[in-house]
Amino acid sequence: MRENALTTVATLAAAGGEPHSFQQIGEDTATFTYRGLTVTMPVVANLLGLSLTTRVPECNILRAGSVAEKALAYRCIDHVCSTCAGVRALFDPVSGELVLGVESAGFDRQFRADTLIDVALFMLEEGVMAARAYLGLPFTEAVRPSVSQWLGGFHYGEGFNVYPTASDAFAVFMRKKYQAEELSRDATSILLASGPLRFDVRFFGWRFGYMVETATRGFRHAVMDDGRYVRIQERLAQLVREPGNTADSGWNFRDPAGSAVAYFRPDGTFVVGEYGFGNAKTEENGAAFERVATRHLLNMRYMTFLAEEFPEDLYSDEANRPN
């Protein structure tokens, strides 16, 4: 049986236990409770993709008065995304509250979708607990689900070829669809290049989870300074447009309706990427892979525009070349 994310959550909630209290509010939104967290699901976003979000109201960028307080709040985003692979974090542009999510442009109808939802909810709870720990708030350990892992069988409808993990299948998809070249691989990532673009397809321990991401050192000289770091973060939450193109509708890395995972690693490297779930025994991975890849190519396109816009005190390839 193959189900989308919305139907799967509703079915799990009806069975009792966790999650529970599923309800649809109007035509656009559904909510449910998972281990004390109130989780929101936009209806449309969960028909082909996945969007599970919750809030940490104790962290609010609009209540941060000083530059130091704002930097602390923004660094909470970095901490969560660096330590909890695939979790997205942003500040609600209206309320200012910290919003955490497990979101993907591609989910589609999955075989054993209940297993993928169990993992996504664990990731979400893990993100909340990481944020609470960083903020000095009481927290508990997220409960890691006991799930059976498929031993290979991942594909995307290209024929008889199957791969041991979703990340392997996605990397092959990128090679064949976008003429990407595999440069190297290790136990946790596959490095690909397509023309001047480079990106990692990362594996985090779940055979069915993968993340495609691109990193840049260009901010490293600036992000250790609170003032410059806050300026960068505030710009990341605004619309980016192609220079000189007045018809461009733009791109927002922190769009509440988006799926980009954007954060700074502890060493100042900036990472932007997209998380995805693949599934064995379904050719529908191909459509899901396509949406994830398209989103990430847009991330890379608009990150190039943003890097060109920033002054050198905020972004500089030259100042951050490795020694």
Side-chain angles (χ1 to χ4, degrees):
M1 187 69 175
R2 296 172 182 168
E3 299 286 359
N4 62 40
L6 185 70
T7 302
T8 302
V9 171
T11 302
L12 288 171
E18 301 285 356
H20 61 87
S21 305
F22 179 90
Q23 58 180 328
Q24 190 163 328
I25 303 170
E27 298 181 355
D28 301 329
T29 306
T31 64
F32 63 92
T33 302
Y34 175 74
R35 290 180 46 81
L37 302 177
T38 298
V39 182
T40 300
M41 298 183 74
V43 170
V44 173
N46 284 283
L47 297 179
L48 290 177
L50 174 70
S51 177
L52 306 175
T53 64
T54 191
R55 293 170 181 258
V56 182
E58 294 88 347
C59 187
N60 189 311
I61 194 64
L62 298 182
R63 292 205 303 259
S66 68
V67 169
E69 289 172 340
K70 290 180 181 179
L72 179 68
Y74 283 122
R75 293 190 198 280
C76 185
I77 287 179
D78 298 336
H79 174 75
V80 169
C81 295
S82 293
T83 57
C84 304
V87 176
R88 186 172 190 243
L90 56 97
F91 289 108
D92 185 301
V94 177
S95 71
E97 293 178 340
L98 177 62
V99 178
L100 303 182
V102 177
E103 302 182 271
S104 177
F107 189 88
D108 286 62
R109 297 182 307 127
Q110 294 285 11
F111 173 76
R112 289 291 308 275
D114 56 335
T115 297
L116 304 190
I117 294 297
D118 283 343
V119 171
L121 290 171
F122 160 73
M123 292 166 60
L124 188 62
E125 184 187 19
E126 187 179 46
V128 169
M129 296 309 160
R132 293 184 65 84
Y134 179 84
L135 297 167
L137 301 170
F139 70 96
T140 57
E141 294 296 326
V143 177
R144 189 177 183 88
S146 176
V147 300
S148 58
Q149 295 259 23
W150 295 280
L151 298 177
F154 293 87
H155 68 102
Y156 57 89
E158 60 161 342
F160 294 105
N161 294 330
V162 295
Y163 306 95
T165 68
S167 52
D168 285 294
F170 182 79
V172 173
F173 170 85
M174 293 299 289
R175 294 209 311 265
K176 295 194 174 183
K177 180 65 185 287
Y178 293 100
Q179 291 75 53
E181 175 188 0
E182 181 175 320
L183 301 181
S184 65
R185 69 165 62 207
D186 57 28
T188 61
S189 72
I190 304 168
L191 179 61
L192 301 175
S194 180
L197 306 177
R198 292 195 176 196
F199 37 88
D200 272 311
V201 180
R202 298 188 61 196
F203 167 71
F204 298 111
W206 310 102
R207 287 178 179 268
F208 38 77
Y210 65 94
M211 185 166 176
V212 56
E213 64 181 37
T214 299
T216 175
R217 299 187 186 92
F219 295 106
R220 291 175 68 174
H221 69 301
V223 297
M224 301 308 169
D225 175 82
D226 282 353
R228 288 187 286 174
Y229 171 74
V230 168
R231 287 167 60 197
I232 295 167
Q233 287 282 15
E234 289 176 342
R235 182 65 187 92
L236 283 169
Q238 299 169 13
L239 206 61
V240 181
R241 287 191 170 93
E242 180 181 2
N245 184 357
T246 56
D248 183 17
S249 58
W251 190 253
N252 188 338
F253 296 100
R254 305 290 196 206
D255 184 354
S259 55
V261 180
Y263 65 97
F264 290 93
R265 292 175 183 157
D267 68 354
T269 299
F270 178 70
V271 179
V272 61
E274 297 281 339
Y275 194 79
F277 288 93
N279 201 298
K281 301 183 181 180
T282 175
E283 67 282 357
E284 294 193 30
N285 283 331
F289 287 176
E290 178 64 36
R291 280 192 290 277
V292 170
T294 298
R295 288 283 183 96
H296 189 57
L297 292 172
L298 286 168
N299 286 334
M300 297 169 75
R301 170 180 167 83
Y302 283 93
M303 193 61 236
T304 300
F305 297 150
L306 192 58
E308 292 172 350
E309 171 195 315
F310 276 126
E312 285 199 3
D313 66 323
L314 298 184
Y315 185 93
S316 172
D317 288 323
E318 189 64 35
N320 293 286
R321 293 190 186 282
N323 295 325

